[in-house]
Amino acid sequence: FKITKDLKVPDTKVPNKPRCAKCDKKVKKKKLKVCSKCKNQYYCGEECQKNDWTEHKLNCKTPEEQYLEVDAEIAKQVADQNKGLRVKEQIEEYSIPVAEQFNGTYEIGECHVYEASVDRLTSAELREKELSENWQERYNEARYGAEVHRQARKYLRSTIKPGQKLIDICERVENKVAELMGSERSGTNVKIGTSFPTGISVNSCAAHFTPLPGDNKVLKKGDIFSIDFGTHQNGRIIDSAFTMAFEDHFDPLIEASKAATEEGVRMAGIDVRLCDIGAAIHEVMESYEVTINGKTLPVKVIQNLSGHSIEPYKIHAGKSVSCVRTYDTTRMEENEFYAIETFGSTGAGWIEEEGDCSHFMVAYDNPNPKMPRSNACRKLLKSIKENFGTLAFCQRYMENAGMKDYEKALKLLVKDGVITDYPPLVDTKGSYTSQFEHSIVLRPSCKEILTRSDDY
Protein backbone atom coordinates (compact mmCIF):
# COMPACT_ATOMS: atom_id res chain seq x y z
CA PHE A 1 0.00 0.00 0.00
CA LYS A 2 1.20 3.46 -0.84
CA ILE A 3 -0.78 6.64 -0.30
CA THR A 4 -2.25 7.92 -3.56
CA LYS A 5 -3.95 10.97 -2.04
CA ASP A 6 -3.82 12.92 1.19
CA LEU A 7 -5.33 11.21 4.21
CA LYS A 8 -6.40 13.15 7.29
CA VAL A 9 -5.22 11.03 10.18
CA PRO A 10 -6.41 11.57 13.77
CA ASP A 11 -3.78 13.15 15.98
CA THR A 12 -4.39 13.51 19.72
CA LYS A 13 -0.92 14.86 20.49
CA VAL A 14 -0.92 18.45 21.72
CA PRO A 15 1.14 20.63 19.33
CA ASN A 16 4.18 22.48 20.66
CA LYS A 17 2.56 25.88 20.08
CA PRO A 18 -1.22 25.34 20.26
CA ARG A 19 -3.64 28.01 19.07
CA CYS A 20 -7.32 28.48 19.89
CA ALA A 21 -9.57 27.02 17.18
CA LYS A 22 -12.04 29.91 17.62
CA CYS A 23 -9.99 33.10 18.08
CA ASP A 24 -6.58 31.83 16.87
CA LYS A 25 -4.94 33.09 20.05
CA LYS A 26 -1.75 31.34 21.25
CA VAL A 27 -2.43 29.28 24.36
CA LYS A 28 -0.12 27.99 27.06
CA LYS A 29 -0.43 24.21 27.43
CA LYS A 30 -1.37 24.39 31.11
CA LYS A 31 -4.36 26.66 30.30
CA LEU A 32 -5.42 24.68 27.24
CA LYS A 33 -9.01 23.45 26.85
CA VAL A 34 -9.43 20.33 24.70
CA CYS A 35 -12.55 18.91 23.09
CA SER A 36 -13.36 15.82 25.17
CA LYS A 37 -14.78 13.93 22.18
CA CYS A 38 -12.32 14.33 19.30
CA LYS A 39 -9.26 15.13 21.48
CA ASN A 40 -7.72 17.31 18.78
CA GLN A 41 -9.54 20.66 18.90
CA TYR A 42 -7.98 23.24 21.25
CA TYR A 43 -9.29 26.42 22.88
CA CYS A 44 -8.03 29.29 25.04
CA GLY A 45 -10.99 28.99 27.41
CA GLU A 46 -14.54 27.79 28.03
CA GLU A 47 -16.14 30.76 26.27
CA CYS A 48 -14.41 30.10 22.93
CA GLN A 49 -15.10 26.38 23.28
CA LYS A 50 -18.84 26.97 23.85
CA ASN A 51 -19.09 29.53 21.03
CA ASP A 52 -17.38 27.14 18.60
CA TRP A 53 -19.47 24.06 19.43
CA THR A 54 -22.33 24.81 16.98
CA GLU A 55 -19.90 24.64 14.07
CA HIS A 56 -17.42 22.12 15.48
CA LYS A 57 -20.02 19.48 16.36
CA LEU A 58 -20.82 19.01 12.66
CA ASN A 59 -17.42 17.36 12.15
CA CYS A 60 -16.51 16.27 15.68
CA LYS A 61 -15.74 12.55 15.88
CA THR A 62 -14.04 10.33 18.43
CA PRO A 63 -10.50 9.15 17.62
CA GLU A 64 -11.95 5.65 17.12
CA GLU A 65 -14.41 6.96 14.53
CA GLN A 66 -11.59 8.84 12.82
CA TYR A 67 -9.41 5.70 12.72
CA LEU A 68 -12.27 3.77 11.10
CA GLU A 69 -12.62 6.46 8.44
CA VAL A 70 -8.90 6.36 7.70
CA ASP A 71 -8.91 2.55 7.53
CA ALA A 72 -11.90 2.69 5.15
CA GLU A 73 -10.02 5.07 2.87
CA ILE A 74 -6.92 2.86 3.07
CA ALA A 75 -9.07 -0.14 2.08
CA LYS A 76 -10.32 1.73 -1.01
CA GLN A 77 -6.79 2.67 -2.05
CA VAL A 78 -5.51 -0.88 -1.46
CA ALA A 79 -8.35 -2.24 -3.62
CA ASP A 80 -7.45 0.22 -6.38
CA GLN A 81 -3.77 -0.78 -6.24
CA ASN A 82 -4.66 -4.49 -6.31
CA LYS A 83 -6.64 -4.07 -9.53
CA GLY A 84 -4.97 -5.69 -12.51
CA LEU A 85 -2.56 -7.84 -10.47
CA ARG A 86 -4.70 -10.95 -10.96
CA VAL A 87 -4.55 -12.02 -14.59
CA LYS A 88 -6.37 -15.37 -14.31
CA GLU A 89 -9.23 -16.44 -12.04
CA GLN A 90 -9.02 -19.59 -9.95
CA ILE A 91 -11.42 -22.42 -10.83
CA GLU A 92 -13.67 -24.40 -8.49
CA GLU A 93 -11.11 -27.19 -7.97
CA TYR A 94 -8.41 -24.68 -6.94
CA SER A 95 -5.97 -26.36 -9.29
CA ILE A 96 -4.38 -23.35 -11.04
CA PRO A 97 -1.00 -22.49 -9.44
CA VAL A 98 -1.07 -19.10 -7.75
CA ALA A 99 1.93 -17.89 -9.79
CA GLU A 100 -0.14 -18.34 -12.96
CA GLN A 101 -2.99 -16.25 -11.55
CA PHE A 102 -0.88 -13.11 -11.03
CA ASN A 103 1.56 -10.97 -12.98
CA GLY A 104 4.38 -11.56 -10.49
CA THR A 105 3.13 -9.02 -7.96
CA TYR A 106 0.67 -10.30 -5.38
CA GLU A 107 -2.23 -8.54 -3.73
CA ILE A 108 -1.65 -6.35 -0.68
CA GLY A 109 -3.32 -7.58 2.50
CA GLU A 110 -5.65 -5.64 4.76
CA CYS A 111 -3.87 -2.49 6.02
CA HIS A 112 -4.51 -0.44 9.15
CA VAL A 113 -3.17 2.79 10.58
CA TYR A 114 -1.12 2.54 13.79
CA GLU A 115 -3.40 4.11 16.40
CA ALA A 116 -0.48 4.90 18.72
CA SER A 117 1.65 6.51 15.99
CA VAL A 118 -0.67 7.76 13.25
CA ASP A 119 1.95 10.11 11.83
CA ARG A 120 3.75 7.08 10.38
CA LEU A 121 1.06 6.77 7.71
CA THR A 122 1.84 10.16 6.17
CA SER A 123 5.62 10.12 6.65
CA ALA A 124 7.27 10.40 3.24
CA GLU A 125 10.53 9.07 4.69
CA LEU A 126 8.92 5.90 6.04
CA ARG A 127 6.92 5.30 2.87
CA GLU A 128 10.13 5.61 0.86
CA LYS A 129 11.83 3.14 3.21
CA GLU A 130 9.26 0.40 2.70
CA LEU A 131 9.18 0.96 -1.05
CA SER A 132 12.85 -0.04 -1.28
CA GLU A 133 13.47 -3.01 -3.57
CA ASN A 134 14.73 -5.17 -0.71
CA TRP A 135 11.58 -4.84 1.39
CA GLN A 136 9.20 -4.97 -1.55
CA GLU A 137 10.63 -8.39 -2.44
CA ARG A 138 10.07 -9.64 1.12
CA TYR A 139 6.52 -8.28 1.25
CA ASN A 140 5.76 -9.85 -2.13
CA GLU A 141 7.03 -13.27 -1.03
CA ALA A 142 4.87 -13.07 2.09
CA ARG A 143 1.81 -12.02 0.05
CA TYR A 144 2.39 -14.95 -2.29
CA GLY A 145 2.44 -17.41 0.62
CA ALA A 146 -0.64 -15.75 2.10
CA GLU A 147 -2.54 -16.08 -1.19
CA VAL A 148 -1.65 -19.78 -1.33
CA HIS A 149 -2.88 -20.17 2.26
CA ARG A 150 -6.18 -18.44 1.51
CA GLN A 151 -6.94 -20.61 -1.48
CA ALA A 152 -5.79 -23.87 0.14
CA ARG A 153 -7.91 -23.32 3.25
CA LYS A 154 -10.99 -22.33 1.24
CA TYR A 155 -10.62 -25.57 -0.68
CA LEU A 156 -10.08 -27.57 2.51
CA ARG A 157 -12.98 -26.02 4.44
CA SER A 158 -15.37 -26.95 1.63
CA THR A 159 -14.32 -30.61 1.71
CA ILE A 160 -14.12 -31.52 5.42
CA LYS A 161 -16.87 -33.87 6.62
CA PRO A 162 -17.42 -36.17 9.60
CA GLY A 163 -16.06 -39.68 9.08
CA GLN A 164 -12.91 -38.59 7.25
CA LYS A 165 -9.52 -39.75 8.49
CA LEU A 166 -7.41 -37.03 10.10
CA ILE A 167 -4.43 -38.08 8.00
CA ASP A 168 -6.46 -37.68 4.80
CA ILE A 169 -7.51 -34.15 5.79
CA CYS A 170 -3.90 -33.14 6.50
CA GLU A 171 -2.55 -34.67 3.31
CA ARG A 172 -5.36 -33.08 1.31
CA VAL A 173 -4.33 -29.57 2.31
CA GLU A 174 -0.61 -30.39 1.97
CA ASN A 175 -1.16 -31.71 -1.54
CA LYS A 176 -3.21 -28.65 -2.41
CA VAL A 177 -0.46 -26.31 -1.15
CA ALA A 178 2.05 -28.21 -3.30
CA GLU A 179 -0.25 -27.90 -6.32
CA LEU A 180 -0.86 -24.20 -5.79
CA MET A 181 2.88 -23.53 -5.33
CA GLY A 182 4.06 -25.83 -8.12
CA SER A 183 6.11 -27.89 -5.67
CA GLU A 184 7.30 -31.33 -6.73
CA ARG A 185 6.62 -32.85 -3.31
CA SER A 186 3.91 -32.21 -0.72
CA GLY A 187 4.92 -31.28 2.80
CA THR A 188 7.87 -29.17 3.92
CA ASN A 189 10.45 -28.40 1.27
CA VAL A 190 13.46 -26.19 1.91
CA LYS A 191 12.70 -23.92 -1.08
CA ILE A 192 8.91 -23.78 -1.29
CA GLY A 193 5.86 -25.53 0.19
CA THR A 194 4.36 -25.98 3.65
CA SER A 195 6.43 -24.46 6.45
CA PHE A 196 5.55 -27.02 9.14
CA PRO A 197 3.42 -30.17 9.51
CA THR A 198 -0.31 -29.54 9.23
CA GLY A 199 -1.75 -29.53 12.73
CA ILE A 200 -5.21 -30.96 13.30
CA SER A 201 -6.07 -30.54 16.97
CA VAL A 202 -9.27 -32.25 18.08
CA ASN A 203 -11.25 -31.45 21.26
CA SER A 204 -8.84 -31.25 24.25
CA CYS A 205 -5.72 -31.24 22.05
CA ALA A 206 -4.71 -27.63 21.45
CA ALA A 207 -1.59 -27.84 19.25
CA HIS A 208 1.29 -29.85 17.75
CA PHE A 209 -0.62 -32.91 16.59
CA THR A 210 -0.35 -34.28 13.08
CA PRO A 211 -1.12 -37.93 12.24
CA LEU A 212 1.73 -40.44 12.11
CA PRO A 213 2.01 -42.71 9.06
CA GLY A 214 -0.76 -45.29 9.21
CA ASP A 215 -2.88 -43.38 11.75
CA ASN A 216 -6.56 -44.27 11.27
CA LYS A 217 -8.18 -41.75 13.66
CA VAL A 218 -11.45 -40.40 12.25
CA LEU A 219 -13.11 -37.00 12.63
CA LYS A 220 -16.47 -37.34 14.42
CA LYS A 221 -19.61 -35.21 14.12
CA GLY A 222 -19.37 -34.16 17.78
CA ASP A 223 -15.75 -32.96 17.51
CA ILE A 224 -14.40 -29.43 17.52
CA PHE A 225 -11.09 -29.16 15.66
CA SER A 226 -8.45 -26.62 14.67
CA ILE A 227 -6.46 -26.68 11.43
CA ASP A 228 -3.05 -24.97 11.65
CA PHE A 229 -0.87 -24.98 8.55
CA GLY A 230 1.75 -22.75 7.00
CA THR A 231 3.33 -21.93 3.66
CA HIS A 232 6.65 -20.45 2.65
CA GLN A 233 8.73 -19.32 -0.28
CA ASN A 234 12.48 -19.01 0.33
CA GLY A 235 11.84 -19.25 4.07
CA ARG A 236 9.33 -16.38 4.22
CA ILE A 237 6.84 -18.16 6.49
CA ILE A 238 3.09 -17.62 6.61
CA ASP A 239 1.32 -19.15 9.62
CA SER A 240 -2.46 -19.14 10.05
CA ALA A 241 -5.08 -21.30 11.75
CA PHE A 242 -8.83 -21.65 12.20
CA THR A 243 -11.33 -23.77 14.15
CA MET A 244 -14.39 -25.64 12.87
CA ALA A 245 -17.18 -27.77 14.31
CA PHE A 246 -20.24 -29.52 12.90
CA GLU A 247 -22.48 -28.71 15.89
CA ASP A 248 -23.67 -25.19 16.69
CA HIS A 249 -23.19 -25.34 20.47
CA PHE A 250 -19.43 -24.88 19.90
CA ASP A 251 -19.98 -21.50 18.21
CA PRO A 252 -19.29 -19.32 21.32
CA LEU A 253 -16.00 -21.16 21.95
CA ILE A 254 -14.99 -20.63 18.31
CA GLU A 255 -16.05 -16.98 18.45
CA ALA A 256 -14.04 -16.44 21.66
CA SER A 257 -10.69 -17.33 20.11
CA LYS A 258 -11.60 -15.55 16.88
CA ALA A 259 -12.46 -12.33 18.74
CA ALA A 260 -9.38 -12.60 20.97
CA THR A 261 -7.12 -13.01 17.93
CA GLU A 262 -8.75 -9.99 16.29
CA GLU A 263 -8.06 -7.99 19.45
CA GLY A 264 -4.42 -9.10 19.39
CA VAL A 265 -4.12 -8.05 15.76
CA ARG A 266 -5.77 -4.70 16.52
CA MET A 267 -3.40 -4.03 19.42
CA ALA A 268 -0.23 -5.03 17.55
CA GLY A 269 1.96 -2.20 16.32
CA ILE A 270 5.40 -0.64 16.32
CA ASP A 271 6.57 0.20 19.86
CA VAL A 272 3.60 -1.63 21.43
CA ARG A 273 4.54 -3.66 24.52
CA LEU A 274 3.92 -7.41 24.33
CA CYS A 275 2.42 -7.40 27.84
CA ASP A 276 -0.28 -4.93 26.76
CA ILE A 277 -1.33 -7.17 23.87
CA GLY A 278 -1.54 -10.19 26.18
CA ALA A 279 -3.71 -8.27 28.66
CA ALA A 280 -6.15 -7.24 25.91
CA ILE A 281 -6.36 -10.80 24.51
CA HIS A 282 -6.96 -12.20 28.00
CA GLU A 283 -9.82 -9.82 28.70
CA VAL A 284 -11.63 -10.54 25.43
CA MET A 285 -11.21 -14.33 25.59
CA GLU A 286 -12.51 -14.69 29.12
CA SER A 287 -15.60 -12.55 28.47
CA TYR A 288 -17.15 -15.59 26.75
CA GLU A 289 -18.94 -18.66 28.02
CA VAL A 290 -20.27 -21.71 26.19
CA THR A 291 -23.09 -24.18 26.93
CA ILE A 292 -22.33 -27.78 25.98
CA ASN A 293 -24.70 -30.65 26.80
CA GLY A 294 -26.72 -28.37 29.07
CA LYS A 295 -23.71 -27.24 31.11
CA THR A 296 -22.51 -23.63 30.91
CA LEU A 297 -18.74 -23.30 31.06
CA PRO A 298 -16.46 -20.24 31.14
CA VAL A 299 -14.02 -19.94 28.25
CA LYS A 300 -10.48 -19.76 29.60
CA VAL A 301 -7.44 -18.57 27.72
CA ILE A 302 -4.72 -21.23 27.48
CA GLN A 303 -2.00 -19.48 29.45
CA ASN A 304 1.10 -21.35 28.28
CA LEU A 305 0.55 -21.01 24.54
CA SER A 306 1.37 -17.82 22.66
CA GLY A 307 1.88 -16.10 19.35
CA HIS A 308 5.39 -15.40 18.10
CA SER A 309 7.65 -13.38 15.87
CA ILE A 310 8.73 -14.94 12.57
CA GLU A 311 11.98 -14.65 10.65
CA PRO A 312 13.17 -16.38 7.46
CA TYR A 313 13.29 -20.14 8.11
CA LYS A 314 12.51 -19.52 11.80
CA ILE A 315 8.90 -20.11 12.81
CA HIS A 316 9.64 -19.00 16.39
CA ALA A 317 12.05 -16.08 16.11
CA GLY A 318 12.46 -15.07 19.75
CA LYS A 319 9.56 -12.81 20.74
CA SER A 320 6.42 -14.32 22.29
CA VAL A 321 3.01 -12.65 22.13
CA SER A 322 1.34 -14.07 25.23
CA CYS A 323 -2.40 -14.61 25.51
CA VAL A 324 -2.42 -13.43 29.15
CA ARG A 325 -1.19 -10.52 31.25
CA THR A 326 2.58 -10.73 31.73
CA TYR A 327 5.47 -8.48 32.79
CA ASP A 328 7.16 -8.68 29.37
CA THR A 329 7.73 -5.06 28.38
CA THR A 330 9.53 -6.00 25.15
CA ARG A 331 8.25 -3.86 22.30
CA MET A 332 7.33 -4.77 18.74
CA GLU A 333 9.60 -3.23 16.11
CA GLU A 334 9.45 -1.94 12.57
CA ASN A 335 9.25 -4.51 9.75
CA GLU A 336 8.82 -7.47 12.10
CA PHE A 337 6.59 -10.36 11.05
CA TYR A 338 4.31 -11.93 13.67
CA ALA A 339 1.89 -14.82 14.02
CA ILE A 340 -0.85 -13.54 16.33
CA GLU A 341 -2.68 -16.59 17.69
CA THR A 342 -4.93 -17.28 20.65
CA PHE A 343 -6.28 -20.46 22.22
CA GLY A 344 -9.50 -20.84 24.21
CA SER A 345 -10.48 -23.80 26.37
CA THR A 346 -13.28 -25.14 28.55
CA GLY A 347 -10.68 -26.97 30.64
CA ALA A 348 -7.94 -25.77 32.94
CA GLY A 349 -6.49 -23.26 30.49
CA TRP A 350 -3.13 -25.00 30.80
CA ILE A 351 -1.65 -27.58 28.42
CA GLU A 352 0.69 -30.50 29.02
CA GLU A 353 2.70 -32.65 26.62
CA GLU A 354 0.90 -35.91 25.89
CA GLY A 355 1.15 -38.66 23.26
CA ASP A 356 3.55 -39.66 20.51
CA CYS A 357 5.58 -36.81 19.07
CA SER A 358 5.02 -35.89 15.42
CA HIS A 359 6.67 -32.44 15.19
CA PHE A 360 10.44 -31.97 15.00
CA MET A 361 12.83 -29.19 14.02
CA VAL A 362 16.57 -28.65 13.82
CA ALA A 363 17.56 -26.85 17.04
CA TYR A 364 18.68 -23.59 15.45
CA ASP A 365 18.59 -21.85 18.83
CA ASN A 366 21.10 -24.29 20.37
CA PRO A 367 24.53 -22.56 20.15
CA ASN A 368 26.53 -25.68 21.08
CA PRO A 369 24.82 -28.82 19.81
CA LYS A 370 26.58 -32.14 20.24
CA MET A 371 28.14 -33.70 17.17
CA PRO A 372 26.03 -36.64 15.92
CA ARG A 373 27.37 -39.79 17.59
CA SER A 374 27.07 -42.27 14.71
CA ASN A 375 27.16 -42.52 10.93
CA ALA A 376 23.40 -43.16 10.93
CA CYS A 377 22.81 -39.96 12.91
CA ARG A 378 25.10 -37.90 10.70
CA LYS A 379 23.48 -39.27 7.56
CA LEU A 380 19.97 -38.57 8.86
CA LEU A 381 20.86 -35.04 10.00
CA LYS A 382 22.35 -34.27 6.61
CA SER A 383 19.19 -35.48 4.88
CA ILE A 384 16.98 -33.48 7.26
CA LYS A 385 18.94 -30.27 6.63
CA GLU A 386 18.95 -30.82 2.87
CA ASN A 387 15.18 -31.39 2.76
CA PHE A 388 13.84 -29.16 5.53
CA GLY A 389 16.61 -26.79 6.63
CA THR A 390 15.41 -25.29 9.92
CA LEU A 391 11.72 -25.72 9.05
CA ALA A 392 9.59 -28.12 11.13
CA PHE A 393 8.93 -31.63 9.82
CA CYS A 394 7.19 -34.86 10.78
CA GLN A 395 7.57 -38.58 10.10
CA ARG A 396 5.23 -38.40 7.09
CA TYR A 397 7.44 -35.74 5.51
CA MET A 398 10.56 -37.78 6.23
CA GLU A 399 9.10 -40.77 4.43
CA ASN A 400 7.94 -38.59 1.51
CA ALA A 401 11.58 -37.48 1.18
CA GLY A 402 12.76 -41.10 1.00
CA MET A 403 14.11 -41.47 4.54
CA LYS A 404 13.91 -45.02 5.93
CA ASP A 405 14.73 -46.73 9.24
CA TYR A 406 15.18 -43.34 10.87
CA GLU A 407 13.50 -43.95 14.26
CA LYS A 408 16.59 -44.82 16.34
CA ALA A 409 18.80 -42.11 14.84
CA LEU A 410 16.03 -39.51 15.25
CA LYS A 411 15.68 -40.37 18.97
CA LEU A 412 19.44 -39.97 19.46
CA LEU A 413 19.47 -36.60 17.68
CA VAL A 414 16.64 -35.43 19.95
CA LYS A 415 18.42 -36.74 23.05
CA ASP A 416 21.61 -34.86 22.10
CA GLY A 417 19.73 -31.59 21.51
CA VAL A 418 20.50 -31.48 17.80
CA ILE A 419 16.82 -31.91 16.93
CA THR A 420 14.02 -30.47 19.11
CA ASP A 421 10.83 -32.47 19.53
CA TYR A 422 7.41 -30.84 19.97
CA PRO A 423 4.90 -33.37 21.37
CA PRO A 424 1.10 -32.81 21.24
CA LEU A 425 -0.15 -30.20 23.74
CA VAL A 426 -3.33 -31.20 25.54
CA ASP A 427 -5.65 -29.60 28.12
CA THR A 428 -7.64 -31.63 30.68
CA LYS A 429 -9.47 -34.75 29.54
CA GLY A 430 -12.99 -34.02 28.32
CA SER A 431 -12.30 -30.34 27.61
CA TYR A 432 -12.67 -28.54 24.29
CA THR A 433 -10.27 -26.06 22.69
CA SER A 434 -10.28 -23.53 19.85
CA GLN A 435 -7.68 -21.48 17.98
CA PHE A 436 -7.43 -18.67 15.45
CA GLU A 437 -4.27 -17.17 14.00
CA HIS A 438 -3.18 -14.49 11.54
CA SER A 439 0.20 -13.54 10.09
CA ILE A 440 0.94 -9.81 10.04
CA VAL A 441 3.83 -7.52 9.14
CA LEU A 442 4.53 -4.22 10.89
CA ARG A 443 5.47 -2.08 7.92
CA PRO A 444 6.99 1.33 8.67
CA SER A 445 3.85 3.21 7.63
CA CYS A 446 1.04 0.78 8.47
CA LYS A 447 0.13 -2.69 9.72
CA GLU A 448 -0.68 -5.32 7.09
CA ILE A 449 -2.75 -8.41 7.92
CA LEU A 450 -1.31 -10.79 5.35
CA THR A 451 -3.68 -13.74 5.82
CA ARG A 452 -6.98 -11.83 5.98
CA SER A 453 -9.80 -13.16 3.81
CA ASP A 454 -13.60 -13.29 3.88
CA ASP A 455 -13.58 -16.42 6.06
CA TYR A 456 -11.62 -14.84 8.93
Side-chain angles (χ1 to χ4, degrees), residues 59-97:
N59 297 304
C60 184
K61 296 173 183 175
T62 65
E64 290 73 19
E65 291 171 331
Q66 296 175 62
Y67 292 134
L68 289 175
E69 286 189 349
V70 173
D71 281 342
E73 182 57 39
I74 290 174
K76 290 179 183 178
Q77 295 192 30
V78 166
D80 288 341
Q81 290 170 44
N82 283 338
K83 286 180 181 177
L85 300 182
R86 191 184 296 269
V87 296
K88 183 185 292 186
E89 292 297 324
Q90 183 60 278
I91 60 177
E92 186 177 353
E93 295 79 11
Y94 289 91
S95 58
I96 301 175

Side-chain angles (χ1 to χ4, degrees), residues 145-362:
E147 182 63 34
V148 171
H149 197 286
R150 277 190 290 272
Q151 295 189 24
R153 75 184 190 234
K154 285 182 179 180
Y155 165 78
L156 181 68
R157 286 165 74 97
S158 69
T159 64
I160 296 178
K161 294 179 176 63
Q164 295 176 347
K165 290 182 180 180
L166 303 186
I167 193 169
D168 292 341
I169 294 171
C170 290
E171 291 184 345
R172 191 182 310 144
V173 72
E174 289 161 358
N175 291 336
K176 184 54 64 176
V177 168
E179 185 177 18
L180 290 170
M181 299 189 98
S183 176
E184 296 179 358
R185 186 183 76 236
S186 66
T188 302
N189 184 313
V190 75
K191 292 292 184 183
I192 194 171
T194 57
S195 49
F196 53 85
T198 300
I200 182 164
S201 303
V202 182
N203 297 331
S204 61
C205 181
H208 293 175
F209 175 84
T210 198
L212 296 171
D215 191 327
N216 289 317
K217 291 186 186 71
V218 171
L219 192 64
K220 301 181 182 67
K221 185 179 179 181
D223 289 336
I224 181 173
F225 56 97
S226 300
I227 306 288
D228 187 350
F229 73 98
T231 64
H232 87 98
Q233 181 185 38
N234 298 323
R236 183 60 61 189
I237 296 170
I238 290 295
D239 185 2
S240 188
F242 58 91
T243 297
M244 293 178 64
F246 304 112
E247 296 184 345
D248 295 343
H249 58 229
F250 287 118
D251 287 354
L253 177 57
I254 294 173
E255 182 58 31
S257 57
K258 186 175 182 180
T261 296
E262 290 298 331
E263 180 65 9
V265 169
R266 187 190 71 81
M267 286 286 296
I270 296 168
D271 292 331
V272 173
R273 301 187 306 175
L274 299 180
C275 59
D276 294 333
I277 300 174
I281 288 171
H282 195 173
E283 182 176 356
V284 170
M285 182 76 79
E286 299 204 345
S287 68
Y288 283 80
E289 59 183 24
V290 57
T291 301
I292 301 173
N293 298 326
K295 187 176 181 179
T296 300
L297 303 166
V299 176
K300 297 179 181 178
V301 66
I302 297 182
Q303 299 179 46
N304 53 338
L305 284 175
S306 62
H308 46 91
S309 57
I310 303 173
E311 292 178 1
Y313 289 106
K314 292 183 179 181
I315 186 66
H316 295 150
K319 291 185 180 180
S320 294
V321 186
S322 178
C323 298
V324 295
R325 298 172 180 87
T326 69
Y327 297 101
D328 187 356
T329 57
T330 304
R331 295 180 184 271
M332 291 180 157
E333 298 177 61
E334 191 176 283
N335 270 326
E336 286 184 325
F337 287 77
Y338 281 90
I340 304 295
E341 59 182 324
T342 69
F343 301 81
S345 174
T346 62
W350 189 269
I351 48 88
E352 303 283 354
E353 295 180 352
E354 182 181 303
D356 296 329
C357 185
S358 59
H359 283 57
F360 302 88
M361 191 161 55
V362 171

